[in-house]
Amino acid sequence: MWIEEVIDDAGNKKYKYCERYKNTQTGRWQRVSVTYTKRTNRAAKLAQDELARKIAEKQAGQVKDITFYEMVIQWFEQERNSKRISTQATIKSSYKRFFRIWDKDLLLSQITVHMAEDMLNCLYHEYHYSWSVIRDTRSLLGRVIRFAKRRGYTVQIDYSEIIIRQDALTPEDIQNKQKKYLEIDEVYCVLAEIRSWQDRLPLKTFFYNRIAEAFEFQFLTGLRWGELAGLLESDYHADEKTIDIRRSYTNFKVGKGENTHFNLPKNLYSLRTIALSDRACEIIEKIIEENKMIRVASNCRYKNSCKLNLIFIGTGGGHLTNNRANKVLKQVTCISGKKLTTHIFRHSHITHLATDLGIPLAAVAKRVGHCNTNTTASVYLHATESGMEKIITALNAEEESREK
């Protein structure tokens, strides 16, 4: 405790008795004081008791240090109501990566920039997570730290100082990026192989035809699989040759009744109406007719899909799930060196439109539900073989005309 002399508004001398204490939430030193007219031993004793009472009042209810794990859980509980169920599951799997390196008893106040960089580097180089995953993990750490600071917890780490360097791209990395799409002939090679399986498995003829039609429709429209699986017959407009994208199917239960597994599409830009080619309309109309027989044969075993009149259903009348579709693609042998998933047909559609057909990026982005053309260009746009051939043809034609 120390004493400061002060002069009040009336010009009288008074004595301010001061004391410091440490805020257990912020880790900072703060000051309390009381003022008396006298500087005596009795006044000092009274001031000491009063200061102790004030400090006790201020510290009452203050939260002590907290573990980083508890802080993450607090942040997640506040955020979860604003996130889709599928996004919540993604965030959970993301924050579990922290604790592959850090112990759950690690205090939030103990985390330093150096520790954060070591953790991210370990995930990157030893656990071999992709650069995009590391970037997302760093971002998630920043959100938790900012939340802790808003709550007044002791945090010594500055998120902006965390620096992680991406390894230089190798020729193999560049080649792998170019494997995220199929050429047109590769797309139809995959479809032909799937349809050919009916010869050796005649009991699954209908299923293989249905799954091949779903892949072809996805290639012709660029839909995400969840958007395709969530299409209803009422979304299709035959006269206008358009289809509305209004929902997305998810494996997680997000609602009640008929809409148990339906969510909004990925973002607001994904709520759209797209034009269909003649072949896409042909697929839709054929499937709608076949579905009538499926529902009768299955006695509407799957009540929700019957009531909603889903378009892309399986042979039993239930949802055609992404997991089941990917299992089919794993059996394809005509394509080597490329990982086949349902999303590759979306990549292929976008690349085909922008590179082979020369459609402006803005139009492509609007069709596939991207919020801006940067996503379309940086993530999905690659130079196809046919696109490269067009470049060479154009250059040769220009050279010939110049020679003439």
Side-chain angles (χ1 to χ4, degrees), residues 1 13 21-22 58 81-82 112 141 161 180 188 244 254 277 296-297 322 327 353-354 366 377 385 390:
M1 183 179 71
K13 181 186 293 186
Y21 72 97
K22 193 172 186 178
K58 289 182 177 294
N81 290 334
S82 63
T112 63
L141 176 61
E161 294 180 358
K180 293 185 177 180
Y188 287 98
D244 299 329
V254 296
S277 65
V296 171
N322 190 44
K327 285 180 181 178
L353 291 183
K366 184 176 181 180
E385 292 297 329
K390 285 183 178 180

Side-chain angles (χ1 to χ4, degrees), residues 157-172:
I157 182 174
D158 185 350
Y159 165 73
S160 63
E161 294 180 358
I162 301 173
I163 299 175
I164 304 294
R165 303 294 185 190
Q166 182 182 11
D167 291 344
L169 291 177
T170 64
E172 291 77 15

Side-chain angles (χ1 to χ4, degrees), residues 312-377:
F312 288 94
I313 59 177
T315 52
H319 292 94
L320 203 55
T321 65
N322 190 44
N323 289 340
R324 193 175 184 189
N326 283 330
K327 285 180 181 178
V328 172
L329 289 173
K330 285 182 179 180
Q331 302 173 48
V332 173
T333 59
C334 67
I335 303 295
S336 60
K338 294 183 179 181
K339 184 179 180 181
L340 297 183
T341 65
T342 58
H343 211 64
I344 202 169
F345 295 106
R346 175 173 165 85
H347 290 202
S348 303
H349 175 75
I350 296 169
T351 305
H352 175 58
L353 291 183
T355 306
D356 298 338
L357 303 183
I359 306 298
L361 283 182
V364 177
K366 184 176 181 180
R367 178 176 177 82
V368 299
H370 285 161
C371 58
N372 58 59
T373 56
N374 290 335
T375 305
T376 313

